[in-house]
Amino acid sequence: MENLGYLLAVYTIVWLVIFGYVLVLIRGQKRLRREVEQLKDALKDKATK
Amino acid sequence: MVSKILLAVSAVLIIASLALIFVYVPTEKTMGVVQRIFYWHVPLAWNSFLAFFIVFISSIAYLWKRSPKWDILANASAEVGVVFTTLFLISGSVWAKPVWGVWWTWEPRLTTALVLWLVYIAYLLVRSYASSSERGARFAAVVGIVGFLDVPIVFLSITLWRTQHPSPVIFTGGLVPAMLLTLIVSIFAFTALYGLLLVQRVAFRKDEADLKRMKRLVESD
């Protein structure tokens, strides 16, 4: 099982990078949702004035 | 719906790919266990090329039709392509260390692949530096079309020049059936993953563009 460390390193790095990218996507979607809510509030304020 | 199907397909295929790589496929005689990096290294490279091909087609369509949907598709595909290219460069480098004795060497395949990565990093950066989003999209489309010229160069580099990188084995019968099956399953797994990430990124970019438009409308009232 020589060089097993290199093999495991590659599979770990691939997973970590893909998970990291998915986390970035999820954070972006959360930010977008927050902005939509803010926009809705702004529209409601305008309608009541 | 499409996302859910792609998520299920990629999850099943990635689990199958891992099982084939770590349980089923025989160990290669020369390189030993480290050769198993091949089963994810090649699908990552293939999907990078696919991603940049989508950028190429979408960029042409954008310059021709000037419809933002093509720019959104190109931008999303470039982003996923850069992630996959980063991973195939890293996996290649880690594989090179035990086999060649070095992490990196300036031989044609590695150099052209690094140039490819830099081109699409430039593609993503060019938008941020443009004075307007329309201008940024136009510049990026030009980079996306010209940059794609490097993809066939990367692909053919191992046959055009003398390189340290192994010669093609997939279409030349260099793989035993178990290895070929493992590779094919892994290619499908990463293609499904690419599809999933692309669909998610396109949806996000569309929502972002819609939100920007709505904000402008609210501010102009």
Side-chain angles (χ1 to χ4, degrees):
Chain A
M1 283 292 176
E2 207 185 343
N3 297 322
L4 187 65
Y6 291 104
L7 178 69
L8 296 178
V10 164
Y11 283 83
T12 310
I13 291 167
V14 170
W15 276 120
L16 285 179
V17 172
I18 288 171
F19 273 122
Y21 183 58
V22 170
L23 280 180
V24 169
L25 294 186
I26 291 169
R27 276 180 63 180
Q29 272 163 350
K30 275 184 181 168
R31 177 182 56 82
L32 211 62
R33 214 168 295 151
R34 239 184 356 253
E35 284 180 32
V36 169
E37 289 305 318
Q38 282 169 357
L39 194 68
K40 273 183 187 170
D41 290 344
L43 283 172
K44 258 184 210 166
D45 285 352
K46 267 195 173 179
T48 50
K49 272 177 194 173
Chain B
M1 184 63 184
V2 178
S3 289
K4 279 181 185 167
I5 293 169
L6 283 169
L7 178 66
V9 170
S10 48
V12 168
L13 286 174
I14 284 171
I15 291 166
S17 157
L18 283 169
L20 289 169
I21 292 166
F22 287 99
V23 181
Y24 170 70
V25 79
T27 302
E28 201 262 348
K29 281 177 190 162
T30 322
M31 286 183 269
V33 77
V34 80
Q35 182 271 344
R36 286 165 206 252
I37 291 174
F38 167 81
Y39 303 107
W40 274 19
H41 175 71
V42 173
L44 285 165
W46 268 106
N47 279 287
S48 304
F49 298 161
L50 173 67
F52 298 142
F53 178 67
I54 301 289
V55 176
F56 174 70
I57 297 292
S58 311
S59 298
I60 292 172
Y62 176 72
L63 290 180
W64 186 20
K65 301 273 183 191
R66 294 296 161 113
S67 162
K69 72 175 181 187
W70 292 112
D71 177 53
I72 287 172
L73 179 61
N75 191 9
S77 190
E79 202 179 281
V80 182
V82 165
V83 173
F84 279 21
T85 309
T86 308
L87 288 172
F88 99 70
L89 282 171
I90 293 172
S91 60
S93 176
V94 178
W95 190 6
K97 180 62 181 156
V99 176
W100 298 343
V102 287
W103 293 102
W104 184 266
T105 175
W106 294 101
E107 61 90 68
R109 169 56 71 89
L110 274 69
T111 309
T112 51
L114 182 67
V115 169
L116 186 71
W117 183 75
L118 291 170
V119 165
Y120 286 92
I121 291 284
Y123 174 94
L124 296 174
L125 287 177
V126 93
R127 293 166 182 277
S128 343
Y129 293 116
S131 52
S132 70
S133 59
E134 204 275 327
R135 212 172 147 85
R138 225 170 43 234
F139 286 162
V142 174
V143 177
I145 293 165
V146 178
F148 186 72
L149 292 175
D150 192 35
V151 170
I153 296 174
V154 178
F155 186 73
L156 294 171
S157 59
I158 49 174
T159 45
L160 289 176
W161 296 290
R162 266 165 41 144
T163 68
Q164 220 169 332
H165 193 279
S167 306
V169 288
I170 301 164
F171 303 113
T172 54
L175 295 175
V176 298
M179 289 176 167
L180 192 62
L181 172 73
T182 307
L183 179 67
I184 289 169
V185 171
S186 303
I187 288 175
F188 278 118
F190 276 91
T191 307
L193 183 65
Y194 162 72
L196 174 67
L197 294 172
L198 184 69
V199 166
Q200 290 297 312
R201 209 53 183 153
V202 166
F204 176 77
R205 293 270 179 227
K206 272 185 184 163
D207 290 347
E208 207 174 38
D210 286 346
L211 189 67
K212 253 187 203 170
R213 212 173 30 246
M214 274 158 39
K215 268 184 179 172
R216 271 201 302 269
L217 278 173
V218 171
E219 280 160 13
S220 65
D221 277 348

